[in-house]
Amino acid sequence: MKKLILLALLIFASSVKAQSTDVSDYKYVVIPQIFDFLTKKDEYNLNTITKMMFEKKGFEVYFAGEELPFEAKMDRCKVLYADLIANSKFLSTGITIVIKNCVDQEVFKSDEGISKEKELRKAYYAALREASQSFNALYYQYKGENATPLVASSKEDGTSVKKRDNQLYAKPTSYGYELLDKTEKTVLKMYKTSQPDSYSAKMEDVTGVVFKKDEKWIFEYYLNDEPVTQELNIKF
C-alpha cells in the first residue's frame, strides 16, 4: 500500500494547462473495476491507483457496482464516469485519462501519456504518470449547493442547449406510482394515502413522504438521523 501511495503522489508531480473546469459541478466519480484493455479486476493495481488520483483531487470515488450515495442514485447525472484508454503500439504504450458525464459526453480528456518500457506494468505506470500531468492541472473545487451538473440537449434548429437532466417518469401502479429514471429503472415507489397529492415513499432502504407544495413535488426523508428535503422533477 505504501508503494501505491508513493506512486499516486509521483503521478501528481507536475502540471500543464487544464482542458475543462466544469467538473466542479460534480461530487462523485465512478471508475470501472476492470479497464477494457485489461483482463482482471484491478490488474497491475491500475484501478486502485486511478481511484487514489481522483480522491487526491477531492472527488468522492466509487468503483462500478458499489453502493452510491442516495443523491447520486436519485440523479445519476450528478456522477462523472472516469476511464483509462490504452493505445498500445509495437514499440510504445499509451494511456489517456477520460472523464464523461451521464450522457457519455467528454468533460475532460488528458494528453496521451506514452511509455517505451517493455514490461507492461512499468509501461502502464509510466504512461499514466505522464497522462496525469494534464489531469493534475485540472481545476476542481466542488461547488456544493451551487453545483448544477449539466448535460446537453438539442433544439429543433440543431443548436445545443444545456439543462439539468433529472427527469423522473411516474408509472401508475395499484398502490400509487413508481418513479422511473430515463433508463426506465425504478428509483422510488410512491404509496397512496388518504390525503390528496401526498404519498408515503420508499427507495431501497430509505423511507419518507412525497407531497406537492407550491406546484412542486417534494421528497422528505431522514438520512443518518438528519432531515433531508429534495425537490423531484416528476412527469405524470
Short mmCIF file of all heavy atoms in Angstrom, two decimals, residues 30-92:
data_model
loop_
_atom_site.label_atom_id
_atom_site.label_comp_id
_atom_site.label_asym_id
_atom_site.label_seq_id
_atom_site.Cartn_x
_atom_site.Cartn_y
_atom_site.Cartn_z
N VAL A 30 -17.25 7.61 -10.73
CA VAL A 30 -17.29 6.15 -10.76
C VAL A 30 -16.20 5.66 -11.71
O VAL A 30 -16.04 6.18 -12.82
CB VAL A 30 -18.66 5.64 -11.22
CG1 VAL A 30 -18.62 4.14 -11.51
CG2 VAL A 30 -19.72 5.93 -10.16
N ILE A 31 -15.46 4.66 -11.26
CA ILE A 31 -14.35 4.09 -12.03
C ILE A 31 -14.62 2.61 -12.26
O ILE A 31 -15.09 1.91 -11.36
CB ILE A 31 -13.03 4.27 -11.26
CG1 ILE A 31 -12.68 5.75 -11.14
CG2 ILE A 31 -11.88 3.53 -11.96
CD1 ILE A 31 -11.47 6.03 -10.29
N PRO A 32 -14.33 2.08 -13.45
CA PRO A 32 -14.52 0.65 -13.70
C PRO A 32 -13.67 -0.20 -12.75
O PRO A 32 -12.59 0.21 -12.34
CB PRO A 32 -14.06 0.47 -15.15
CG PRO A 32 -14.07 1.84 -15.75
CD PRO A 32 -13.78 2.79 -14.62
N GLN A 33 -14.17 -1.38 -12.46
CA GLN A 33 -13.36 -2.32 -11.68
C GLN A 33 -12.34 -3.03 -12.57
O GLN A 33 -11.32 -3.52 -12.09
CB GLN A 33 -14.26 -3.34 -10.98
CG GLN A 33 -15.18 -2.71 -9.95
CD GLN A 33 -15.71 -3.73 -8.96
OE1 GLN A 33 -15.04 -4.70 -8.62
NE2 GLN A 33 -16.92 -3.51 -8.48
N ILE A 34 -12.65 -3.09 -13.87
CA ILE A 34 -11.73 -3.68 -14.86
C ILE A 34 -11.67 -2.74 -16.05
O ILE A 34 -12.71 -2.44 -16.66
CB ILE A 34 -12.20 -5.07 -15.33
CG1 ILE A 34 -12.38 -6.03 -14.15
CG2 ILE A 34 -11.21 -5.66 -16.33
CD1 ILE A 34 -12.93 -7.38 -14.54
N PHE A 35 -10.52 -2.25 -16.39
CA PHE A 35 -10.38 -1.43 -17.59
C PHE A 35 -10.47 -2.32 -18.83
O PHE A 35 -10.03 -3.48 -18.82
CB PHE A 35 -9.06 -0.66 -17.57
CG PHE A 35 -9.00 0.41 -16.51
CD1 PHE A 35 -7.99 0.39 -15.54
CD2 PHE A 35 -9.94 1.43 -16.48
CE1 PHE A 35 -7.94 1.38 -14.57
CE2 PHE A 35 -9.89 2.42 -15.50
CZ PHE A 35 -8.89 2.39 -14.55
N ASP A 36 -10.98 -1.77 -19.92
CA ASP A 36 -11.23 -2.57 -21.12
C ASP A 36 -9.98 -3.21 -21.70
O ASP A 36 -10.05 -4.26 -22.33
CB ASP A 36 -11.88 -1.69 -22.20
CG ASP A 36 -13.34 -1.37 -21.89
OD1 ASP A 36 -13.92 -2.07 -21.03
OD2 ASP A 36 -13.89 -0.44 -22.51
N PHE A 37 -8.83 -2.59 -21.50
CA PHE A 37 -7.60 -3.12 -22.09
C PHE A 37 -6.94 -4.17 -21.19
O PHE A 37 -5.88 -4.70 -21.54
CB PHE A 37 -6.62 -1.98 -22.40
CG PHE A 37 -6.24 -1.14 -21.21
CD1 PHE A 37 -5.12 -1.44 -20.46
CD2 PHE A 37 -7.00 -0.04 -20.86
CE1 PHE A 37 -4.76 -0.66 -19.37
CE2 PHE A 37 -6.65 0.76 -19.78
CZ PHE A 37 -5.53 0.44 -19.04
N LEU A 38 -7.55 -4.46 -20.03
CA LEU A 38 -7.02 -5.47 -19.13
C LEU A 38 -8.01 -6.62 -19.00
O LEU A 38 -9.14 -6.55 -19.50
CB LEU A 38 -6.72 -4.85 -17.75
CG LEU A 38 -5.69 -3.72 -17.76
CD1 LEU A 38 -5.56 -3.11 -16.37
CD2 LEU A 38 -4.34 -4.23 -18.25
N THR A 39 -7.61 -7.68 -18.32
CA THR A 39 -8.47 -8.87 -18.23
C THR A 39 -8.87 -9.22 -16.80
O THR A 39 -9.75 -10.05 -16.60
CB THR A 39 -7.76 -10.10 -18.85
OG1 THR A 39 -6.52 -10.33 -18.17
CG2 THR A 39 -7.49 -9.86 -20.33
N LYS A 40 -8.23 -8.59 -15.83
CA LYS A 40 -8.50 -8.92 -14.43
C LYS A 40 -8.90 -7.68 -13.64
O LYS A 40 -8.53 -6.57 -13.98
CB LYS A 40 -7.27 -9.56 -13.78
CG LYS A 40 -6.83 -10.87 -14.42
CD LYS A 40 -5.58 -11.40 -13.73
CE LYS A 40 -5.09 -12.68 -14.39
NZ LYS A 40 -3.85 -13.19 -13.75
N LYS A 41 -9.65 -7.90 -12.59
CA LYS A 41 -10.05 -6.82 -11.69
C LYS A 41 -8.82 -6.19 -11.04
O LYS A 41 -8.00 -6.88 -10.45
CB LYS A 41 -10.99 -7.38 -10.61
CG LYS A 41 -11.52 -6.35 -9.64
CD LYS A 41 -12.48 -7.00 -8.67
CE LYS A 41 -12.99 -6.00 -7.64
NZ LYS A 41 -13.95 -6.64 -6.69
N ASP A 42 -8.71 -4.87 -11.18
CA ASP A 42 -7.60 -4.10 -10.60
C ASP A 42 -6.24 -4.68 -10.99
O ASP A 42 -5.31 -4.71 -10.18
CB ASP A 42 -7.74 -4.04 -9.08
CG ASP A 42 -6.96 -2.88 -8.48
OD1 ASP A 42 -6.63 -1.94 -9.22
OD2 ASP A 42 -6.69 -2.91 -7.26
N GLU A 43 -6.11 -5.10 -12.25
CA GLU A 43 -4.84 -5.65 -12.71
C GLU A 43 -3.76 -4.57 -12.68
O GLU A 43 -4.00 -3.43 -13.07
CB GLU A 43 -5.00 -6.20 -14.13
CG GLU A 43 -3.85 -7.06 -14.59
CD GLU A 43 -4.15 -7.83 -15.86
OE1 GLU A 43 -5.26 -7.62 -16.42
OE2 GLU A 43 -3.31 -8.61 -16.29
N TYR A 44 -2.58 -4.94 -12.22
CA TYR A 44 -1.45 -4.03 -12.03
C TYR A 44 -1.78 -2.90 -11.05
O TYR A 44 -1.08 -1.88 -11.00
CB TYR A 44 -1.00 -3.41 -13.36
CG TYR A 44 -0.66 -4.40 -14.43
CD1 TYR A 44 -1.36 -4.43 -15.63
CD2 TYR A 44 0.37 -5.33 -14.24
CE1 TYR A 44 -1.06 -5.35 -16.62
CE2 TYR A 44 0.69 -6.25 -15.23
CZ TYR A 44 -0.04 -6.27 -16.42
OH TYR A 44 0.28 -7.18 -17.39
N ASN A 45 -2.87 -3.06 -10.29
CA ASN A 45 -3.32 -2.03 -9.34
C ASN A 45 -3.70 -0.72 -10.02
O ASN A 45 -3.78 0.33 -9.36
CB ASN A 45 -2.26 -1.76 -8.27
CG ASN A 45 -1.94 -2.97 -7.42
OD1 ASN A 45 -0.80 -3.43 -7.39
ND2 ASN A 45 -2.93 -3.50 -6.74
N LEU A 46 -3.96 -0.75 -11.31
CA LEU A 46 -4.25 0.48 -12.05
C LEU A 46 -5.57 1.11 -11.62
O LEU A 46 -5.69 2.34 -11.57
CB LEU A 46 -4.27 0.21 -13.56
CG LEU A 46 -2.91 0.06 -14.25
CD1 LEU A 46 -3.10 -0.18 -15.73
CD2 LEU A 46 -2.06 1.30 -14.02
N ASN A 47 -6.56 0.29 -11.30
CA ASN A 47 -7.85 0.84 -10.86
C ASN A 47 -7.71 1.52 -9.50
O ASN A 47 -8.26 2.60 -9.28
CB ASN A 47 -8.90 -0.27 -10.80
CG ASN A 47 -9.07 -0.99 -12.12
OD1 ASN A 47 -8.21 -1.80 -12.50
ND2 ASN A 47 -10.14 -0.71 -12.84
N THR A 48 -6.98 0.89 -8.60
CA THR A 48 -6.75 1.48 -7.28
C THR A 48 -5.96 2.77 -7.39
O THR A 48 -6.29 3.78 -6.74
CB THR A 48 -6.00 0.49 -6.38
OG1 THR A 48 -6.81 -0.67 -6.17
CG2 THR A 48 -5.68 1.12 -5.03
N ILE A 49 -4.94 2.78 -8.23
CA ILE A 49 -4.13 3.98 -8.40
C ILE A 49 -4.97 5.11 -8.99
O ILE A 49 -4.90 6.27 -8.54
CB ILE A 49 -2.92 3.69 -9.31
CG1 ILE A 49 -1.96 2.74 -8.59
CG2 ILE A 49 -2.20 4.98 -9.69
CD1 ILE A 49 -0.85 2.20 -9.47
N THR A 50 -5.80 4.78 -9.98
CA THR A 50 -6.67 5.79 -10.59
C THR A 50 -7.66 6.34 -9.58
O THR A 50 -7.91 7.56 -9.52
CB THR A 50 -7.42 5.19 -11.80
OG1 THR A 50 -6.47 4.66 -12.73
CG2 THR A 50 -8.26 6.25 -12.49
N LYS A 51 -8.22 5.47 -8.75
CA LYS A 51 -9.14 5.91 -7.70
C LYS A 51 -8.44 6.88 -6.75
O LYS A 51 -9.00 7.92 -6.35
CB LYS A 51 -9.67 4.70 -6.93
CG LYS A 51 -10.68 5.02 -5.82
CD LYS A 51 -11.22 3.72 -5.24
CE LYS A 51 -12.31 4.00 -4.20
NZ LYS A 51 -11.79 4.56 -2.94
N MET A 52 -7.21 6.55 -6.37
CA MET A 52 -6.45 7.41 -5.47
C MET A 52 -6.16 8.77 -6.10
O MET A 52 -6.16 9.80 -5.43
CB MET A 52 -5.15 6.71 -5.07
CG MET A 52 -5.37 5.48 -4.19
SD MET A 52 -3.86 4.50 -4.00
CE MET A 52 -2.81 5.66 -3.16
N MET A 53 -5.93 8.77 -7.42
CA MET A 53 -5.69 10.03 -8.12
C MET A 53 -6.89 10.97 -7.98
O MET A 53 -6.74 12.15 -7.68
CB MET A 53 -5.42 9.76 -9.60
CG MET A 53 -4.06 9.16 -9.89
SD MET A 53 -3.94 8.60 -11.62
CE MET A 53 -4.49 10.07 -12.50
N PHE A 54 -8.09 10.43 -8.21
CA PHE A 54 -9.30 11.25 -8.14
C PHE A 54 -9.60 11.66 -6.70
O PHE A 54 -10.07 12.78 -6.45
CB PHE A 54 -10.48 10.50 -8.75
CG PHE A 54 -10.52 10.58 -10.25
CD1 PHE A 54 -9.85 9.66 -11.03
CD2 PHE A 54 -11.21 11.59 -10.88
CE1 PHE A 54 -9.88 9.73 -12.41
CE2 PHE A 54 -11.25 11.69 -12.26
CZ PHE A 54 -10.58 10.75 -13.03
N GLU A 55 -9.35 10.77 -5.75
CA GLU A 55 -9.54 11.14 -4.34
C GLU A 55 -8.57 12.24 -3.93
O GLU A 55 -8.93 13.14 -3.16
CB GLU A 55 -9.38 9.89 -3.47
CG GLU A 55 -10.52 8.90 -3.61
CD GLU A 55 -10.27 7.62 -2.83
OE1 GLU A 55 -9.09 7.30 -2.53
OE2 GLU A 55 -11.26 6.93 -2.52
N LYS A 56 -7.34 12.15 -4.41
CA LYS A 56 -6.36 13.18 -4.12
C LYS A 56 -6.84 14.54 -4.65
O LYS A 56 -6.58 15.59 -4.04
CB LYS A 56 -5.02 12.80 -4.77
CG LYS A 56 -3.92 13.83 -4.62
CD LYS A 56 -3.31 13.79 -3.24
CE LYS A 56 -2.10 14.70 -3.15
NZ LYS A 56 -1.48 14.69 -1.81
N LYS A 57 -7.57 14.51 -5.77
CA LYS A 57 -8.09 15.73 -6.37
C LYS A 57 -9.25 16.30 -5.55
O LYS A 57 -9.55 17.49 -5.63
CB LYS A 57 -8.55 15.41 -7.80
CG LYS A 57 -8.62 16.62 -8.70
CD LYS A 57 -7.24 17.11 -9.05
CE LYS A 57 -7.29 18.30 -9.97
NZ LYS A 57 -5.96 18.88 -10.23
N GLY A 58 -9.93 15.45 -4.77
CA GLY A 58 -11.03 15.91 -3.94
C GLY A 58 -12.37 15.29 -4.25
O GLY A 58 -13.37 15.58 -3.59
N PHE A 59 -12.44 14.41 -5.25
CA PHE A 59 -13.68 13.74 -5.59
C PHE A 59 -14.02 12.64 -4.57
O PHE A 59 -13.13 12.11 -3.89
CB PHE A 59 -13.59 13.09 -6.97
CG PHE A 59 -13.55 14.05 -8.12
CD1 PHE A 59 -12.34 14.40 -8.71
CD2 PHE A 59 -14.72 14.61 -8.62
CE1 PHE A 59 -12.29 15.29 -9.78
CE2 PHE A 59 -14.69 15.49 -9.69
CZ PHE A 59 -13.47 15.83 -10.27
N GLU A 60 -15.29 12.29 -4.50
CA GLU A 60 -15.73 11.11 -3.77
C GLU A 60 -15.85 10.00 -4.80
O GLU A 60 -16.67 10.09 -5.72
CB GLU A 60 -17.07 11.37 -3.08
CG GLU A 60 -17.48 10.30 -2.09
CD GLU A 60 -18.67 10.71 -1.24
OE1 GLU A 60 -18.75 11.90 -0.86
OE2 GLU A 60 -19.53 9.84 -0.98
N VAL A 61 -15.05 8.95 -4.67
CA VAL A 61 -14.87 7.98 -5.75
C VAL A 61 -15.41 6.59 -5.37
O VAL A 61 -15.21 6.12 -4.25
CB VAL A 61 -13.38 7.86 -6.13
CG1 VAL A 61 -13.22 7.03 -7.40
CG2 VAL A 61 -12.77 9.24 -6.33
N TYR A 62 -16.06 5.96 -6.35
CA TYR A 62 -16.61 4.62 -6.16
C TYR A 62 -16.24 3.77 -7.37
O TYR A 62 -16.12 4.27 -8.49
CB TYR A 62 -18.13 4.66 -6.02
CG TYR A 62 -18.60 5.41 -4.81
CD1 TYR A 62 -18.74 6.80 -4.83
CD2 TYR A 62 -18.88 4.75 -3.62
CE1 TYR A 62 -19.15 7.50 -3.71
CE2 TYR A 62 -19.28 5.44 -2.49
CZ TYR A 62 -19.42 6.81 -2.54
OH TYR A 62 -19.82 7.51 -1.43
N PHE A 63 -16.04 2.48 -7.10
CA PHE A 63 -15.88 1.55 -8.21
C PHE A 63 -17.27 1.17 -8.74
O PHE A 63 -18.25 1.15 -7.99
CB PHE A 63 -15.15 0.28 -7.76
CG PHE A 63 -13.67 0.48 -7.54
CD1 PHE A 63 -13.09 0.17 -6.32
CD2 PHE A 63 -12.87 0.95 -8.56
CE1 PHE A 63 -11.74 0.35 -6.11
CE2 PHE A 63 -11.51 1.14 -8.37
CZ PHE A 63 -10.94 0.83 -7.14
N ALA A 64 -17.36 0.87 -10.02
CA ALA A 64 -18.62 0.46 -10.62
C ALA A 64 -19.17 -0.75 -9.87
O ALA A 64 -18.44 -1.70 -9.58
CB ALA A 64 -18.40 0.11 -12.09
N GLY A 65 -20.45 -0.69 -9.55
CA GLY A 65 -21.09 -1.79 -8.83
C GLY A 65 -21.19 -1.55 -7.34
O GLY A 65 -21.95 -2.25 -6.66
N GLU A 66 -20.43 -0.59 -6.82
CA GLU A 66 -20.51 -0.27 -5.40
C GLU A 66 -21.75 0.58 -5.11
O GLU A 66 -22.28 1.25 -6.00
CB GLU A 66 -19.26 0.47 -4.94
CG GLU A 66 -18.01 -0.39 -4.87
CD GLU A 66 -16.82 0.37 -4.31
OE1 GLU A 66 -16.77 1.60 -4.45
OE2 GLU A 66 -15.94 -0.28 -3.73
N GLU A 67 -22.20 0.55 -3.86
CA GLU A 67 -23.35 1.34 -3.44
C GLU A 67 -23.02 2.82 -3.50
O GLU A 67 -22.05 3.29 -2.90
CB GLU A 67 -23.75 0.96 -2.01
CG GLU A 67 -25.00 1.62 -1.50
CD GLU A 67 -26.27 0.99 -2.03
OE1 GLU A 67 -26.18 -0.03 -2.75
OE2 GLU A 67 -27.35 1.51 -1.73
N LEU A 68 -23.86 3.58 -4.23
CA LEU A 68 -23.66 5.02 -4.36
C LEU A 68 -24.47 5.76 -3.30
O LEU A 68 -25.46 5.24 -2.79
CB LEU A 68 -24.10 5.49 -5.75
CG LEU A 68 -23.25 5.04 -6.94
CD1 LEU A 68 -23.91 5.49 -8.24
CD2 LEU A 68 -21.84 5.59 -6.84
N PRO A 69 -24.08 6.98 -2.96
CA PRO A 69 -24.88 7.79 -2.03
C PRO A 69 -26.29 8.01 -2.58
O PRO A 69 -26.52 7.95 -3.79
CB PRO A 69 -24.10 9.11 -1.96
CG PRO A 69 -22.71 8.74 -2.33
CD PRO A 69 -22.83 7.65 -3.34
N PHE A 70 -27.20 8.32 -1.69
CA PHE A 70 -28.61 8.45 -2.05
C PHE A 70 -28.83 9.46 -3.16
O PHE A 70 -29.53 9.20 -4.13
CB PHE A 70 -29.42 8.84 -0.81
CG PHE A 70 -30.89 8.99 -1.07
CD1 PHE A 70 -31.71 7.88 -1.14
CD2 PHE A 70 -31.45 10.24 -1.27
CE1 PHE A 70 -33.06 8.01 -1.39
CE2 PHE A 70 -32.80 10.39 -1.52
CZ PHE A 70 -33.60 9.27 -1.58
N GLU A 71 -28.23 10.65 -3.05
CA GLU A 71 -28.48 11.69 -4.05
C GLU A 71 -27.94 11.28 -5.42
O GLU A 71 -28.49 11.68 -6.46
CB GLU A 71 -27.86 13.02 -3.63
CG GLU A 71 -26.34 13.01 -3.52
CD GLU A 71 -25.79 14.41 -3.28
OE1 GLU A 71 -26.50 15.37 -3.62
OE2 GLU A 71 -24.68 14.53 -2.76
N ALA A 72 -26.90 10.48 -5.45
CA ALA A 72 -26.35 10.02 -6.72
C ALA A 72 -27.25 8.97 -7.35
O ALA A 72 -27.38 8.89 -8.57
CB ALA A 72 -24.94 9.46 -6.51
N LYS A 73 -27.87 8.14 -6.52
CA LYS A 73 -28.81 7.14 -7.04
C LYS A 73 -30.08 7.80 -7.56
O LYS A 73 -30.67 7.34 -8.53
CB LYS A 73 -29.15 6.12 -5.94
CG LYS A 73 -28.00 5.21 -5.59
CD LYS A 73 -28.43 4.08 -4.68
CE LYS A 73 -28.75 4.58 -3.29
NZ LYS A 73 -29.04 3.45 -2.36
N MET A 74 -30.49 8.89 -6.93
CA MET A 74 -31.67 9.61 -7.39
C MET A 74 -31.42 10.33 -8.70
O MET A 74 -32.33 10.51 -9.51
CB MET A 74 -32.11 10.62 -6.33
CG MET A 74 -32.84 10.01 -5.16
SD MET A 74 -34.44 9.32 -5.61
CE MET A 74 -35.34 10.80 -6.06
N ASP A 75 -30.20 10.77 -8.92
CA ASP A 75 -29.88 11.53 -10.13
C ASP A 75 -28.48 11.14 -10.60
O ASP A 75 -27.48 11.69 -10.15
CB ASP A 75 -29.97 13.04 -9.83
CG ASP A 75 -29.78 13.89 -11.08
OD1 ASP A 75 -29.52 13.31 -12.16
OD2 ASP A 75 -29.88 15.11 -10.98
N ARG A 76 -28.41 10.18 -11.51
CA ARG A 76 -27.12 9.70 -12.00
C ARG A 76 -26.35 10.76 -12.78
O ARG A 76 -25.17 10.60 -13.04
CB ARG A 76 -27.32 8.46 -12.87
CG ARG A 76 -27.83 7.22 -12.11
CD ARG A 76 -26.89 6.86 -10.98
NE ARG A 76 -27.35 5.75 -10.19
CZ ARG A 76 -26.89 4.50 -10.30
NH1 ARG A 76 -25.95 4.23 -11.17
NH2 ARG A 76 -27.36 3.55 -9.52
N CYS A 77 -27.02 11.84 -13.13
CA CYS A 77 -26.32 12.92 -13.83
C CYS A 77 -25.53 13.80 -12.88
O CYS A 77 -24.94 14.79 -13.28
CB CYS A 77 -27.31 13.74 -14.66
SG CYS A 77 -27.85 12.86 -16.15
N LYS A 78 -25.53 13.45 -11.60
CA LYS A 78 -24.65 14.11 -10.64
C LYS A 78 -23.32 13.38 -10.54
O LYS A 78 -22.46 13.74 -9.74
CB LYS A 78 -25.31 14.17 -9.27
CG LYS A 78 -26.49 15.13 -9.19
CD LYS A 78 -27.03 15.22 -7.78
CE LYS A 78 -28.16 16.24 -7.69
NZ LYS A 78 -28.71 16.34 -6.32
N VAL A 79 -23.16 12.34 -11.35
CA VAL A 79 -21.98 11.48 -11.28
C VAL A 79 -21.16 11.61 -12.56
O VAL A 79 -21.71 11.69 -13.66
CB VAL A 79 -22.39 10.01 -11.09
CG1 VAL A 79 -21.16 9.11 -11.01
CG2 VAL A 79 -23.26 9.84 -9.85
N LEU A 80 -19.84 11.63 -12.43
CA LEU A 80 -18.94 11.56 -13.56
C LEU A 80 -18.39 10.13 -13.66
O LEU A 80 -18.27 9.43 -12.65
CB LEU A 80 -17.78 12.54 -13.40
CG LEU A 80 -18.11 14.02 -13.55
CD1 LEU A 80 -16.89 14.87 -13.24
CD2 LEU A 80 -18.64 14.33 -14.93
N TYR A 81 -18.03 9.74 -14.86
CA TYR A 81 -17.55 8.39 -15.11
C TYR A 81 -16.16 8.48 -15.74
O TYR A 81 -15.99 9.03 -16.83
CB TYR A 81 -18.53 7.64 -16.02
CG TYR A 81 -19.91 7.58 -15.40
CD1 TYR A 81 -20.82 8.61 -15.58
CD2 TYR A 81 -20.27 6.51 -14.59
CE1 TYR A 81 -22.08 8.58 -14.98
CE2 TYR A 81 -21.53 6.46 -13.99
CZ TYR A 81 -22.42 7.50 -14.19
OH TYR A 81 -23.66 7.47 -13.58
N ALA A 82 -15.18 7.96 -15.02
CA ALA A 82 -13.79 8.07 -15.46
C ALA A 82 -13.29 6.75 -16.03
O ALA A 82 -13.74 5.68 -15.63
CB ALA A 82 -12.90 8.50 -14.28
N ASP A 83 -12.35 6.86 -16.95
CA ASP A 83 -11.81 5.65 -17.57
C ASP A 83 -10.39 5.91 -18.04
O ASP A 83 -9.97 7.08 -18.19
CB ASP A 83 -12.69 5.25 -18.77
CG ASP A 83 -12.58 3.77 -19.11
OD1 ASP A 83 -11.76 3.06 -18.48
OD2 ASP A 83 -13.33 3.32 -20.00
N LEU A 84 -9.64 4.85 -18.23
CA LEU A 84 -8.33 4.91 -18.85
C LEU A 84 -8.44 4.25 -20.22
O LEU A 84 -8.99 3.15 -20.35
CB LEU A 84 -7.27 4.18 -18.02
CG LEU A 84 -7.00 4.69 -16.60
CD1 LEU A 84 -5.83 3.92 -15.99
CD2 LEU A 84 -6.71 6.18 -16.58
N ILE A 85 -7.93 4.93 -21.22
CA ILE A 85 -7.94 4.40 -22.58
C ILE A 85 -6.50 4.08 -22.98
O ILE A 85 -5.62 4.96 -22.91
CB ILE A 85 -8.54 5.41 -23.58
CG1 ILE A 85 -9.92 5.88 -23.10
CG2 ILE A 85 -8.63 4.80 -24.98
CD1 ILE A 85 -10.94 4.77 -22.94
N ALA A 86 -6.26 2.84 -23.38
CA ALA A 86 -4.91 2.41 -23.75
C ALA A 86 -4.74 2.41 -25.26
O ALA A 86 -5.67 2.11 -26.01
CB ALA A 86 -4.62 1.04 -23.18
N ASN A 87 -3.56 2.77 -25.70
CA ASN A 87 -3.22 2.75 -27.12
C ASN A 87 -1.85 2.09 -27.25
O ASN A 87 -0.81 2.77 -27.22
CB ASN A 87 -3.21 4.17 -27.69
CG ASN A 87 -2.87 4.19 -29.17
OD1 ASN A 87 -3.05 3.21 -29.88
ND2 ASN A 87 -2.37 5.33 -29.64
N SER A 88 -1.88 0.78 -27.36
CA SER A 88 -0.62 0.03 -27.40
C SER A 88 -0.15 -0.17 -28.84
O SER A 88 -0.91 -0.64 -29.69
CB SER A 88 -0.80 -1.33 -26.72
OG SER A 88 -1.10 -1.15 -25.35
N LYS A 89 1.10 0.20 -29.08
CA LYS A 89 1.70 0.01 -30.38
C LYS A 89 2.89 -0.94 -30.25
O LYS A 89 3.19 -1.42 -29.16
CB LYS A 89 2.13 1.37 -30.96
CG LYS A 89 0.97 2.34 -31.15
CD LYS A 89 1.45 3.68 -31.68
CE LYS A 89 0.28 4.65 -31.83
NZ LYS A 89 0.73 5.98 -32.34
N PHE A 90 3.57 -1.16 -31.36
CA PHE A 90 4.66 -2.13 -31.37
C PHE A 90 5.78 -1.74 -30.41
O PHE A 90 6.30 -2.58 -29.68
CB PHE A 90 5.21 -2.28 -32.79
CG PHE A 90 6.36 -3.25 -32.89
CD1 PHE A 90 6.19 -4.59 -32.58
CD2 PHE A 90 7.62 -2.81 -33.26
CE1 PHE A 90 7.25 -5.48 -32.66
CE2 PHE A 90 8.68 -3.69 -33.35
CZ PHE A 90 8.49 -5.03 -33.04
N LEU A 91 6.12 -0.48 -30.36
CA LEU A 91 7.25 -0.05 -29.55
C LEU A 91 6.87 0.90 -28.42
O LEU A 91 7.75 1.45 -27.75
CB LEU A 91 8.32 0.62 -30.44
CG LEU A 91 8.99 -0.30 -31.47
CD1 LEU A 91 9.94 0.51 -32.34
CD2 LEU A 91 9.74 -1.44 -30.79
N SER A 92 5.57 1.12 -28.22
CA SER A 92 5.17 2.07 -27.17
C SER A 92 3.80 1.71 -26.61
O SER A 92 3.02 0.99 -27.23
CB SER A 92 5.15 3.50 -27.71
OG SER A 92 4.15 3.65 -28.69
#
